[in-house]
Amino acid sequence: MGDPRLQEISAPVEPIDGLALAPLLNDMWDTMADANGAGLAAPQIGVMRRIVIFGYQTNPRYPDAPAVPETVLINPQITPLDDSREDGWEGCLSVPGMRGIVPRYRAIRYQGFDQYGEIIEREVSGFHARVVQHECDHLDGILYPQRIEDMRNFGFIDTLTEQGVMQLQACDDEP
Ligand code: NI
């Protein structure tokens, strides 16, 4: 946080780009695995393109969260399925050591394509929907602290845990 690139709007990926997708995606999966995260967006490693990855089979940090399929989503579009929103704790690789409560749409449809050019279209809710909204925000230069409505619900992980304010479960990019 503080790097102006994280506030920029990323460019769509075009077939004529000649973007070397495979090495970029390898970098992204490695970075995400290092952080034991649930997702990552390309701008977080300095590539200003509309690419996000997310998903895990099991994650010790979210023992109760259902698995989210490991997904590469390029040029994503999100449509809320209704107006309902829910609060949940989030963290981010780009905002290390902190957590905050962020309202997100409960259920969304997301569309885009994968690394093979296949169309992806899914309707999801809960944690899966939260991760996708968090990651896609990165493509529009938005970090989760900008979405926090009550700044009293923002703090250092150690302190929040110590104070019993937060249980380590619903969060995103970062352990
Ligand atoms: Ni993030």
Side-chain angles (χ1 to χ4, degrees):
M1 185 162 61
D3 185 325
R5 286 175 299 180
L6 290 172
Q7 298 164 14
E8 283 175 25
I9 295 184
S10 292
V13 177
E14 309 287 354
I16 52 163
D17 275 350
L19 181 69
L21 209 50
L24 170 62
L25 290 172
N26 282 340
D27 258 9
M28 289 177 70
W29 286 115
D30 284 351
T31 305
M32 182 181 133
D34 261 4
N36 204 19
L40 193 84
Q44 292 185 276
I45 59 167
V47 176
M48 308 311 293
R49 292 308 181 96
R50 302 187 80 79
I51 304 171
V52 301
I53 62 168
F54 52 85
Y56 52 87
Q57 293 307 306
T58 59
N59 191 316
R61 286 193 290 122
Y62 333 111
D64 301 327
V68 174
E70 291 180 345
T71 302
V72 173
L73 189 61
I74 298 171
N75 297 349
Q77 285 194 302
I78 292 179
T79 315
L81 294 182
D82 56 52
D83 287 338
S84 63
R85 302 197 302 169
E86 58 191 12
D87 286 335
W89 287 99
E90 294 188 14
C92 182
L93 197 67
S94 304
V95 190
M98 304 196 80
R99 290 282 184 274
I101 291 184
V102 183
R104 298 284 185 189
Y105 288 110
R106 189 191 54 80
I108 59 170
R109 172 185 304 115
Y110 66 81
Q111 296 157 287
F113 59 92
D114 69 9
Q115 67 272 44
Y116 310 110
E118 300 292 327
I119 289 172
I120 294 178
E121 179 166 2
R122 293 181 187 144
E123 291 186 5
V124 301
S125 60
F127 190 78
H128 188 157
R130 174 172 297 277
V131 173
V132 175
Q133 289 171 85
H134 175 114
E135 299 312 334
C136 291
D137 261 358
H138 280 295
L139 308 180
D140 292 323
I142 297 167
L143 297 176
Y144 81 83
Q146 293 165 254
R147 298 275 191 201
I148 297 174
E149 290 183 343
D150 181 345
M151 290 305 284
R152 288 174 297 186
N153 297 322
F154 184 44
F156 298 106
I157 296 168
D158 292 352
T159 310
L160 292 166
T161 310
E162 226 169 72
Q163 298 299 316
V165 178
M166 179 191 68
Q167 276 121 35
L168 275 178
Q169 39 185 14
C171 36
D172 279 31
D173 285 341
E174 205 234 355

